[in-house]
Structures are given as C-alpha cells and as structure tokens.
Amino acid sequence: MAEMLLREAVSKALSEALDEDNRCFLMGEDIGAYGGAYAVTRGFLEKYGEERVRDTPISESVFVGAGVGSAMIGMRPIVEVMTINFTLVAMDQIINHAAKLSYMSNGQLTVPLIIRTVTGGGGQLAATHSQSFENWYASVPGLRVVVPATPYDALGMFRASRKDNNPVIFAEHALLYRVRGEVPEEYYEVPLGKARIARPGNDVTLVAYSGMVRVAEEAAAKLEEDNISSEVIDLRCLSPLDLDTVIESVKKTNRVAVVEETWKTGGFSGTIASDIQEAAFDDLDGPVVRINGPDVPAPYARNIEQLMIPNSDWVVKSVKYNFGL
Amino acid sequence: MATTLNIETLAKEEALEIFTQMLLIRRFEEEAERLYRRGLVRGFLHTYIGEEAIAVGAIPNLRDDDYVIGHYRDHGHALARGVDPKAAMAELCGKATGCSGGKGGSMHLFDAEKHFMGGHAIVGGQLPLAIGIALGVKLKKLDSVVMCFFGDGAVNEGEFHEAMNMASLWKLPVVFMLENNLYGMGTDVNRSRAGGASIYGAAEPYMIPAVQIDGMDVMAVKETVSEGIAKVREGTGPVFIESMAYRFHGHSMADPSNYRDNEEVQENRSRDPIDKFREDCLEAGKIEPQDLELAAEKVDLIVQEAREFAEQSPEPAPEELYTHIYADPEGN
C-alpha cells in the first residue's frame, strides 16, 4: 500500500491511459510545455510527445468539441479544461453535442470522452474562478459526473471512467490535490455510481461529495465529542447517483443533512433532499437539512470568502440546531 | 473561378447521375413539404431547394472512408451521401425506421455507417466536431478527409473562428464548405457581417486557401471541390470553399419570407441549378430528353416509395424514450 497525493493519483491514472491504450491522448490548455496548471501532467510531454499530449489554443469550445469529434470515430480522448469555470465557454459542445449524440443518433454514435476539470473555491480567486458546476452537469441526461474526494477514488474512478463509453465530467477539487491517502499497488477499480460510507454512524447521516467530504468528516469527529454518532456518505458520483446507499443510511439514522459547497438555489442538495423525502418520508424524524454556500458570488478577501464555504463548525451547529441534539 | 470541367468531359452516365441526384433532393423535399402540410412532418423543416448543386457537386467526390458533417438543412447532404431516402423520410415523419430512430427529426439525420456524421442544429456547433473527426483521422494515420458544411450565419459564431484556427494550426484534413445563401434565417448577410456578402476572405487570416464559386453551377462545384479534396488529402491542411447560393423557399416551413422581395426571389429562381444543368446537357447533346424523362420517373418512384415507407412505418415504441441516453456498455 503506497501513500500518494490526489494529484499524483490522477497523474498515475493518466499515465496508465497513455501506456495502455493507443486510442487515448490528452488535450488541453498548458498541459504540455507548462506541465499543467496544477502540475498533474508535469513531465508528460517529454515522455509521450506532442502528438499525444497536445497543448491547445485557449479555445475551450473547439478543443472540447475536438474531443467529442475524435471520440465519435473511436478515439478515447482525455480533455483537460483548466477550471470548471472555463467549461462554461465550452457548454455548447458539452451539453448540446457530447451529451446528445448517442441519443439523437439512436445509438449509432458514442462519445467516450473524459473531460477533466478543476472545481471549487477557497483559493481567493474571486467570483469567476471559484465556482462549482458539477450539479449543473449532473442535471443533463447523457453525461456522467464523477467527483472524487480521495486519492484512492480518483485513481479507481478514473479507471472506471475510461471503460465507460459516455462523456464523463471528472471534477477534481483544487484544494484536494494535496490531500494524501492510501492507494494499493495492485490494480483495482471503483465503479461509477456506487457511494462510499466514509464513516459509519447511527444518529445522523451527513451526505457530501468532493471537497465537502472532508468537512463532513471533520464535523462528524466534532459531533462524536458530544456523543452524536454521524454516518458520512461520500456520493463519489452525481451521475449515476447511488441513492440506495443514502436511503439505507437514513432508514438507520432517521436524520440527514446534505453538505454542498455551491449555492443553495439550484444546488444538488435540493435533488438529494427531494429524493430522500420521496423514498423515506416515514423514516425521517425531521426535514432534510441542506447546508450550502449562500447565494453570493465568491469574494476575494479571505475573511468574507470563508463565510461562503461550509465548514465543520457550521455543519455541527446546523445539525445540533435542526435536530435538537 | 472559371469552369474548365465542362459538360463535354462528362460521361453520359455521370451526367445522368448528377441530374438524378439533384432532382431526387428536389422532389424529396417537395414531398416533405406536402407531408408537413398534411401534419405528418412536424417540428422544423428546413429545405435545401435551390442549393442542390452544392451537395451533389461536392459529396460524391468523397471516398467511402471520408466523413461528411453539416448543419440542420441536411436532407441534401444526407441523400447525396447515400443515406436511404426511405430512412430519411421516415425520420422526418418521426418513425422508428428513421435513420435516427425517430429521435432526431429533420435537423438531426445520422448514418454512421455511411460516415454521415449528422445534421447539427446549433449554428456553428458542427465545426468543432469536424475538427475532432479530422484530428482522430490524423491520429489514426489515415488519409480520409472531413467535409464540413455550414452557412453564412455560422461565420459570425466564435466556434467558427476557433475551428479555423485549430484546423490550420494542426494542419487537419478538413474541407470547409460554406454555403452562403445570403440570409442567416431572416437577416441579410450584409446586415450581419462586416465586409458584406462575400465571406471567403475570412479564411485568409488563418492562412487557409480559399475560393468562391457559383453554388448554382454543379460543374463548378464538382471541379473545385474535387481539387480541394485532393489538396487536403496530401496532408497540408484544410481548404475553404464558399459556394454562393440561394434558398428558394423560406428558412423553414414557419417562415413567410417577408424579409426578401419577390423580385429578388424570382431572379434567383430563374437560375435554378437543376434547370441550368438540364439545359446545358441538352444543348451539349450529352443527354437526350427521353433520358431525362426516364430519370425523372425513376426519382418520382423513389420518392413515392420513401413516402409510403414513412407513412406505413411504426412510431417508436414507448420504451424507446429511454434507450441510448447512455451508450450500450458493450458498445464501441
């Protein structure tokens, strides 16, 4: 069992792809000569050459579309969009094209494309560079949305994403790149659409994904000090969504809070809350609690930026208050 | 560009084939318009009537392993690429036997086997896809070319400029086929484009060789495109061909076309590409009038069969709503 950073786990996943499958190639902004904005592809250009590690112009629409087009004829492109904020520039290609081609062609075409991108705030990058849009993509039929929280899952779910024949949005949280975790030497995969019980518990269920899994785990540790036992569920994927694991937990704890970094209005926590209430209303001791960032653009100044990202104290307070614990 | 490839150089069979293909597209769409009025075709129906010489002059120059991708005015491209008229008409009618299973409709015809990679209905959206197909071809070390159709409206989209830059930068095998019919929906190109109605100069900043031709002259299209394909196949990068065109009918069936004056429409209709080719062939003694009559009868029969097939085909089963949202796990 080796320890590695999440960044290293993704690098390993990409190396494997290039080593094992000659249909795979990487394409994106500054992934080659620069080594990747987050250093994930450092050394790749030297190792694999410029045909398979392609620096693109700053033209998100065409390089994402080029990924879609090459996938349409059987390549397995891995496209990096430097941050999820920039995927908005390529939204037409992702939503109108990548997500639709299988359906509109009645299965004649498939788009086995992985779009890697960096999500989340907390880096004092202000309103245009601190957003999370995984929930938006998760609402689009035809896309997979993968949101790893650990190095183990990043590698395991990337492997599974490569075997999937659909367009995958693989969103890596910027603040998780330096998280360290255990990764086995032997080969394994983490299937898409299977949530993980990050911490077992009995009194309350905390549902989270991506950067918020650590926040939920920290909150659970603090709640434990007050003898409140929390079960933390890491969704791992927003599409496909593993609701069964969530419902099973709720049936045990009868209380649930969903923790999400992005805005409350339109947040994925709303979908989860609604699904839980439909499937397990009689098991609930109270309303499903949603803990989201407030509906404000991210500011630059550190002190007020921190006020918009849910943290463990916030989760603890909310759980105690809402459930009278 | 002067036409040196004149009708004299065509074999009789080839001339008849060109005539038949153009007429097939015309009659197919006239039937589609009738089906629309009868309520069997719904949604948007954009006809290519008046522009047939471009598809027929261009697409048959391609090999089977080349690719065609284009926009939502796609019936002509599909038929010229060999998509079965029955499957195309059934698609227009929303039938399970349609070339997209009834899920795409008129704007989204697909036939992957024929390398017809779709009609695409977001203006300009097919251009990045064409770049990707061409990149895939290049990475696979094949010598196929990608023919990408788009209209004058697409030229003002950012995706057009991004695609032009990348195609030239990476020397991708793309034949850019601009069909300039002078109107982006109802807006005159002179009111939408700085520099006016002549567009091929837009390729110059990207160092892509570009020409402008009369898109109503099927022989001019055939000659220019065939040279363009040969050049692209050498691997030196894309070419850009602007075909000046005019759609005789409205943008779609919903369009009363009141932004064009009747005189302009009539003047353009007097240059009908099918009539012109027919007259040229007769004048050159290339084809006898009875050959043309036979060809027209053949076309009428194909269209009639396509209509009957579409009418008689079943609608998609309810469960088809949920198929192919995601790829078959065993697929690809």
Side-chain angles (χ1 to χ4, degrees), chain B residues 83-99:
Chain B
V83 174
D84 180 356
K86 290 193 183 98
M89 196 66 94
E91 187 59 37
L92 267 56
C93 292
K95 297 300 181 72
T97 53
C99 59

Side-chain angles (χ1 to χ4, degrees), chain A residues 123-146:
Chain A
Q124 282 194 269
L125 299 175
T128 61
H129 280 57
S130 304
Q131 303 169 102
S132 310
F133 294 123
E134 305 89 274
N135 58 318
W136 288 15
Y137 291 116
S139 74
V140 179
L143 298 179
R144 304 286 196 211
V145 180
V146 181

Side-chain angles (χ1 to χ4, degrees), chain A residues 51 61 73 102-103 108 166, chain B residues 99 140-141 159 321 324 327:
Chain A
E51 191 165 278
S61 200
I73 64 162
S102 172
Y103 195 76
Q108 293 179 76
N166 297 288
Chain B
C99 59
K140 290 178 174 186
K141 317 248 183 273
E159 288 184 319
L321 177 63
H324 303 301

Side-chain angles (χ1 to χ4, degrees), chain A:
Chain A
M1 188 78 79
E3 283 226 328
M4 63 172 73
L5 304 178
L6 189 139
R7 169 194 290 135
E8 293 165 339
V10 178
S11 289
K12 182 174 161 67
L14 296 174
S15 287
E16 284 179 358
L18 292 172
D19 289 338
E20 291 166 9
D21 189 346
N22 61 13
R23 299 169 302 173
C24 283
F25 64 100
L26 312 186
M27 176 161 60
E29 294 149 324
D30 277 317
I31 63 166
Y34 188 97
Y38 292 86
V40 171
T41 51
R42 189 177 288 160
F44 275 54
L45 178 62
E46 293 74 11
K47 186 167 177 200
Y48 297 103
E50 61 185 17
E51 191 165 278
R52 299 186 76 199
V53 180
R54 307 184 74 90
D55 276 323
T56 65
I58 303 173
S59 302
E60 288 84 0
S61 200
V62 78
F63 74 71
V64 170
V68 180
S70 62
M72 284 162 76
I73 64 162
M75 299 298 287
R76 314 282 301 196
I78 300 166
V79 170
E80 176 175 326
V81 182
M82 197 180 283
T83 83
I84 204 163
N85 307 283
F86 311 159
T87 66
L88 301 190
V89 186
M91 207 80 152
D92 174 46
Q93 289 302 317
I94 298 171
I95 293 177
N96 284 325
H97 297 90
K100 302 294 191 292
L101 284 165
S102 172
Y103 195 76
M104 284 204 309
S105 70
N106 203 30
Q108 293 179 76
L109 299 173
T110 57
V111 183
L113 161 72
I114 299 176
I115 299 175
R116 288 186 46 238
T117 190
V118 179
T119 190
Q124 282 194 269
L125 299 175
T128 61
H129 280 57
S130 304
Q131 303 169 102
S132 310
F133 294 123
E134 305 89 274
N135 58 318
W136 288 15
Y137 291 116
S139 74
V140 179
L143 298 179
R144 304 286 196 211
V145 180
V146 181
V147 282
T150 65
Y152 179 92
D153 281 353
L155 178 59
M157 289 200 289
F158 198 91
R159 286 168 171 162
S161 298
R162 273 179 54 204
K163 291 194 175 168
D164 199 276
N165 286 318
N166 297 288
V168 175
I169 306 288
F170 197 92
E172 301 154 19
H173 197 293
L175 299 188
L176 294 181
Y177 276 131
R178 286 191 294 172
V179 164
R180 193 175 287 281
E182 288 189 343
V183 175
E185 308 274 354
E186 61 274 18
Y187 186 86
Y188 68 96
E189 283 176 27
V190 176
L192 305 187
K194 187 81 196 83
R196 171 178 74 101
I197 297 174
R199 176 191 175 108
N202 299 312
D203 299 330
V204 59
T205 300
L206 303 177
V207 179
Y209 65 91
S210 190
M212 287 297 111
V213 174
R214 293 210 310 157
V215 169
E217 286 177 316
E218 274 173 33
K222 289 176 181 175
L223 287 164
E224 188 69 52
E225 290 167 17
D226 292 327
N227 292 320
I228 300 166
S229 163
S230 313
E231 180 144 294
V232 176
I233 293 178
D234 173 3
L235 292 175
R236 284 175 160 166
C237 282
L238 302 188
S239 172
L241 177 67
D242 176 9
L243 197 64
D244 292 347
T245 298
V246 176
I247 298 299
E248 208 174 304
S249 177
V250 169
K251 287 189 170 175
K252 178 173 65 175
T253 62
N254 311 117
R255 303 179 186 95
V256 57
V258 189
V259 192
E260 187 180 30
E261 180 169 329
T262 194
W263 305 303
K264 189 166 190 177
T265 301
F268 201 71
S269 60
T271 298
I272 300 282
S274 152
D275 287 348
I276 292 170
Q277 279 159 172
E278 279 178 6
F281 186 78
D282 290 339
D283 293 292
L284 291 170
D285 282 353
V288 178
V289 173
R290 296 176 62 200
I291 302 170
N292 280 76
D295 293 342
V296 296
Y300 163 70
R302 180 84 179 152
N303 64 324
I304 54 174
E305 184 197 41
Q306 288 303 305
L307 295 177
M308 74 166 292
I309 302 173
N311 59 41
S312 57
D313 288 338
W314 181 345
V315 174
V316 167
K317 206 184 213 175
S318 177
V319 164
K320 286 183 173 175
Y321 174 80
N322 283 292
F323 296 122
L325 293 170

